[in-house]
Amino acid sequence: MNSVKALAESPDLNSIPSLYAYYTNSTDSPALDPQDPIPTIDFSLLTSADPDQRSQIIQELDRACKDWGFFQVINHGVPESLMKMVIEKAGEFFNLTDDEKKIFEEKDVLDPIRYGTSFNSKKDKVFCWRDFLKVIVHPEFHSPNKPFGFSEVLLEYSKRTREVVRGLLNGISTSLGLDQSYVEKALKLESGLQICAANLYPPCPQPEVAIGLPPHSDHGLLTLLINNGVSGLQIKHDGKWVDVKDTLPNSFLVNTADELEIFSNGKYKSVEHRAVVNDRVTRISVVVANGPALDAVVRPADKLVDEERWPAAYVPMKYKEYLEMQQGNQIVGKTCLDRIRV
């Protein structure tokens, strides 16, 4: 496996190998600046003792999930120092020697620690300008043994982000008209799957031709993202691609994912997004994907189905099977979700 990092650092690289030429055969349109500000959710209000405050923020969460499938979360209680340290340690991992990283080369999509390049290098016809490390951190915690201190930082970060996700899903449960803990119980979140993924997008000599990650939606319920201050995330909003930049400091960027779309019977759509690259600086992002338990069967919530008015729009499927289907194929838009629509 050749990493993009090694390729980007090779001397005299003025153009990219044809294997990485994405935009020569893509019809994706360029991104614009968003016309409306990206929604902001103040997490502290979700746990407020004031029922009016809580009710108002749940309405805002409902609108953000319905209209955007994307929002930034502030006042979430995760220390800024911890968020910075996770990015730093991710960078240190990618700076390890190829031999040190090769131990973790991916074999199976459910390997607890996977290091790789592109999305699925066995299936991709066009490669993504990206190296990654994916680590399963819950229900069992795993971590690479290098760099020094990474494991401790990752453990703390995974715990703290799970608390944020639990709070958000309690709010979403309420906004869907269900009991606060309905999502948690129905999808067995006590043993829910949590994957921490670090992405490295090195400078690219032809950023207009390459892609960091092509348009896709995520598996799971909610995805939390932070980065090293370099923008590159774009989301699809009202059918148009928009740039995500000028986000609030110390905020989480959160997007809705496929299992939430299924569970809400289509009320909250999973958002399509992509990562673009630049020719100046390295972008590092750390993404935490939060899903149901692997053995949970995900289907539209009973209370959100009415055979006459709102019939179930998705076929029930075990989360593990969905995950293997999505991760084991090429990454193309929402094709996995399309396969289980009724």
Side-chain angles (χ1 to χ4, degrees):
M1 185 194 86
N2 294 322
S3 69
V4 170
K5 183 174 185 290
L7 177 61
E9 288 170 356
S10 53
D12 308 321
L13 181 76
N14 300 316
S15 62
I16 60 175
S18 57
L19 181 63
Y20 292 91
Y22 175 80
Y23 275 104
T24 49
N25 55 11
S26 162
T27 53
D28 288 348
S29 54
L32 311 162
D33 287 336
Q35 298 295 304
D36 307 305
I38 288 164
T40 299
I41 299 298
D42 185 337
F43 186 81
S44 65
L45 300 181
L46 274 174
T47 51
S48 168
D50 180 334
D52 291 342
Q53 277 191 336
R54 187 171 151 75
S55 168
Q56 187 180 338
I57 200 71
I58 282 170
Q59 283 175 26
E60 288 175 24
L61 189 58
D62 176 57
R63 273 198 301 275
C65 290
K66 213 161 31 187
D67 300 345
W68 284 80
F70 187 81
F71 48 93
Q72 46 187 342
V73 176
I74 58 169
N75 298 330
H76 43 67
V78 181
E80 189 172 3
S81 56
L82 180 61
M83 295 165 81
K84 285 196 165 120
M85 188 59 76
V86 168
I87 294 283
E88 197 176 299
K89 291 294 174 190
E92 286 177 21
F93 175 85
F94 291 116
N95 283 334
L96 295 173
T97 66
D98 283 347
D99 284 346
E100 287 174 306
K101 289 182 288 196
K102 269 196 167 64
I103 305 165
F104 305 113
E105 266 184 27
E106 64 168 333
K107 294 161 203 73
D108 179 77
V109 298
L110 284 170
D111 281 350
I113 303 173
R114 293 193 287 148
Y115 163 66
T117 194
S118 192
F119 176 75
N120 181 344
S121 56
K122 294 182 185 74
K123 295 273 179 83
D124 295 336
K125 290 191 175 74
V126 176
F127 271 37
C128 309
W129 196 260
R130 162 219 196 210
D131 294 335
F132 66 82
L133 170 69
K134 293 183 180 178
V135 184
I136 294 177
V137 289
H138 193 263
E140 281 181 25
F141 178 76
H142 304 270
S143 173
N145 52 0
K146 291 176 181 176
F148 177 75
F150 190 20
S151 173
E152 292 79 359
V153 168
L154 199 54
L155 179 62
E156 181 63 17
Y157 189 68
S158 63
K159 282 181 184 167
R160 300 299 289 262
T161 48
R162 272 201 305 282
E163 289 166 16
V164 174
V165 169
R166 171 178 277 169
L168 290 171
L169 287 174
N170 284 349
I172 284 171
S173 212
T174 308
S175 73
L176 287 169
L178 308 167
D179 291 340
Q180 180 174 311
S181 57
Y182 192 100
V183 176
E184 201 172 325
K185 288 175 184 160
L187 300 178
K188 305 199 263 194
L189 297 192
E190 278 300 316
S191 52
L193 184 72
Q194 188 186 33
I195 300 173
C196 190
N199 300 302
L200 179 86
Y201 305 100
C204 175
Q206 291 178 288
E208 71 289 349
V209 179
I211 189 82
L213 271 177
H216 66 285
S217 60
D218 294 339
H219 65 81
L221 295 161
L222 292 175
T223 305
L224 271 59
L225 179 144
I226 59 173
N227 62 41
N228 63 337
V230 178
S231 60
L233 176 66
Q234 298 178 343
I235 60 166
K236 204 173 224 181
H237 178 55
D238 289 342
K240 297 187 182 74
W241 287 104
V242 296
D243 264 319
V244 178
K245 52 188 185 187
D246 305 324
T247 51
L248 296 168
N250 196 31
S251 63
F252 282 114
L253 299 176
V254 180
N255 66 266
T256 51
D258 290 352
E259 269 59 34
L260 185 59
E261 176 168 335
I262 298 164
F263 186 80
S264 69
N265 203 22
K267 185 182 179 187
Y268 297 156
K269 301 281 190 282
S270 59
V271 71
E272 260 190 274
H273 51 289
R274 66 188 182 190
V276 296
V277 293
N278 71 77
D279 58 4
R280 301 174 312 283
V281 286
T282 294
R283 175 171 182 255
I284 295 175
S285 68
V286 173
V287 173
V288 181
N290 303 273
L294 279 172
D295 65 350
V297 176
V298 184
R299 56 164 58 87
D302 292 343
K303 291 185 179 175
L304 304 178
V305 174
D306 178 308
E307 284 314 319
E308 287 184 10
R309 290 183 298 168
W310 323 288
Y314 307 86
V315 175
M317 190 179 207
K318 242 186 207 171
Y319 179 44
K320 180 174 188 275
E321 289 167 18
Y322 189 90
L323 179 72
E324 288 172 332
M325 174 173 76
Q326 198 235 32
Q327 296 285 299
N329 285 289
Q330 283 178 272
I331 183 171
V332 188
K334 295 178 73 165
T335 48
C336 279
L337 201 53
D338 292 339
R339 290 185 198 180
I340 62 162
R341 290 183 205 276
V342 173

